[in-house]
């Protein structure tokens, strides 16, 4: 049986196809929508053929088999197989927009078909929108247990290129060590759904209001020098570092694979970027520290 498999799951419309293609490009043998009851047999056959990295996508299309998936994951891990479960999520607004743009039906939409037809076109659009929202909420409930047992990636604000990059970074990280993910973001675009901890650094002096620094980012020397000259910024940095250091052993003992620390400011360009870069450097000696800049990466 393969020593390691990557399980890709999540909410419909969150980008699982893009993620699976990224893994395929990275050299994984990928299978989409494999029924969970066939997973063990598939892994046995795959082991007999040859040793190669395997990625499997499972979602609500196999709703009837989902209750068997979590116990199976636990069994495989007990047998020494490293199962890395990655759950893609997105805000309901983002999902509704994506389904509307592609005109694809939600996999659970047929189960929520209204009993009485709408009389006017406006009523029809309202009923359709409500049915889509209900289907998304039903899916969230069906997959809630799997989400809890997985590394969550929020794709609400991500372009396809960002998601491909983040997937590559996740699967390249060491499987058995806890990986710290430091993510900068802008509060005006919403808090990341994948965050385990969220720190608000909007109270710190903002380089945006210094004309010479406005077009720069928290990775530029001038912005770094400006923030390191602010006692509040250094104190905030020190306290966040102390908090993570205090609780990191507990998360390691809990056999967590990933811990995502999200740091937000107003625009996601200066303060949050500086803190993420600095914290990632300071924790690099503790293991793997990945860096994500949600807003900056979207510009590149």
């Amino acid at each position: 049986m393969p020593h390691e498999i990557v399980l890709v799951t999540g909410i419909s419309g969150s980008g699982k196809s893009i993620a699976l293609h990224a893994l395929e490009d990275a050299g994984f043998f990928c299978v989409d929508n494999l029924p969970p009851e066939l997973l063990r047999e598939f892994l046995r056959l795959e082991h007999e053929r040859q040793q190669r990295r395997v990625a499997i996508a499972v979602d609500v299309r196999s709703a009837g088999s989902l209750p068997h998936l979590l116990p199976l994951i636990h069994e495989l891990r007990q047998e020494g197989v490293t199962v890395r479960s990655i759950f893609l999520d997105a805000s309901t607004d983002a999902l509704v927009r994506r389904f509307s743009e592609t005109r694809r039906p939600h996999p659970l939409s047929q189960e929520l078909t209204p009993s009485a037809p709408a009389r006017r076109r406006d009523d029809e659009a309202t009923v359709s929108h409500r049915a889509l929202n209900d289907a998304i909420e039903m899916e969230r409930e069906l997959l809630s247990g799997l989400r809890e047992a997985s590394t969550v990636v929020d794709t609400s604000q991500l372009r396809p290129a960002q998601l491909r990059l983040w997937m590559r970074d996740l699967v390249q990280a060491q499987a058995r060590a806890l990986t710290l993910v430091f993510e900068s973001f802008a509060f005006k675009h919403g808090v990341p759904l994948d965050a385990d901890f969220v720190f608000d650094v909007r109270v710190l002096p903002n380089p945006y209001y210094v004309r010479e620094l406005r077009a720069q980012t928290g990775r530029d020397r001038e912005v770094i020098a400006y923030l390191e000259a602010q006692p509040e910024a250094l104190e905030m940095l020190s306290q966040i570092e102390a908090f993570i250091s205090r609780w990191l052993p507990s998360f390691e003992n809990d056999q967590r694979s990933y811990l995502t620390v999200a740091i937000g400011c107003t625009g996601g360009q200066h303060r949050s970027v500086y803190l993420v870069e600095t914290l990632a450097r300071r924790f690099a000696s503790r293991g793997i520290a990945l860096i994500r800049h949600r807003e900056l990466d979207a510009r590149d």
Side-chain angles (χ1 to χ4, degrees), residues 8-10 12 16 32-33 57-63 66 139 143:
V8 180
T9 184
S12 301
K16 292 189 296 298
D32 188 17
N33 196 29
V58 178
D59 55 38
V60 79
R61 289 174 291 176
S62 302
L66 284 176
E139 185 177 22
L143 298 177

Side-chain angles (χ1 to χ4, degrees), residues 111-180:
E111 299 183 27
L112 295 168
T113 302
S115 56
R119 295 183 178 180
R120 299 199 311 269
R121 183 172 298 177
D122 290 347
D123 292 338
E124 187 176 314
T126 300
V127 169
S128 176
H129 187 274
R130 188 185 308 122
L132 179 55
N133 275 272
D134 291 345
I136 291 170
E137 291 310 309
M138 178 186 291
E139 185 177 22
R140 290 194 191 283
E141 185 174 347
L142 287 170
L143 298 177
S144 59
L146 195 53
R147 189 184 194 279
E148 284 293 316
S150 305
T151 299
V152 180
V153 177
D154 178 12
T155 70
S156 305
Q157 304 286 336
L158 299 189
R159 295 182 293 109
Q162 283 178 272
L163 178 54
R164 286 192 290 266
L165 178 64
W166 288 15
M167 285 296 298
R168 186 198 68 190
D169 288 343
L170 283 175
V171 298
Q172 285 180 347
Q174 292 176 5
R176 297 189 181 277
L178 185 144
T179 299
L180 273 169

Side-chain angles (χ1 to χ4, degrees), residues 14-23 88 159-161 163-164 167:
S14 60
K16 292 189 296 298
S17 296
I18 294 171
L20 211 59
H21 289 153
L23 293 177
L88 305 184
R159 295 182 293 109
L163 178 54
R164 286 192 290 266
M167 285 296 298

Side-chain angles (χ1 to χ4, degrees), residues 21-30 52-55:
H21 289 153
L23 293 177
E24 194 170 35
D25 291 343
F28 282 78
F29 178 72
C30 300
R52 53 183 174 181
R53 295 185 295 177
V54 175

